[in-house]
Amino acid sequence: MSLVDRLKGLFGREERTYEYWCPNCEATFESPKADMSSVHCPECGETRVRASAMADPVA
């Protein structure tokens, strides 16, 4: 187990993911990035994606 995994376990902090929607191809996807300017659609590469909703922390 890595040090990062141990620290996450100790502090109970899981990485959050954010749900996005692509208006170009209508795909929905998750990304750990909260800054939409650095997120692109994994299906078509579109950079003008929209935040859909915050997803649950990744287990």
Side-chain angles (χ1 to χ4, degrees), residues 8-22:
K8 283 182 181 179
L10 287 174
F11 295 103
R13 300 187 79 193
E14 296 291 334
E15 184 176 355
R16 289 216 172 264
T17 58
Y18 300 86
E19 190 172 297
Y20 294 96
W21 177 76
C22 176

Side-chain angles (χ1 to χ4, degrees), residues 21-29 41-46:
W21 177 76
C22 176
N24 187 48
C25 70
E26 299 186 358
T28 57
F29 59 95
C41 176
E43 297 292 322
C44 70
E46 177 65 62

Side-chain angles (χ1 to χ4, degrees), residues 32-47:
K33 298 177 183 176
D35 179 12
M36 288 187 351
S37 66
S38 65
V39 177
H40 67 276
C41 176
E43 297 292 322
C44 70
E46 177 65 62
T47 56

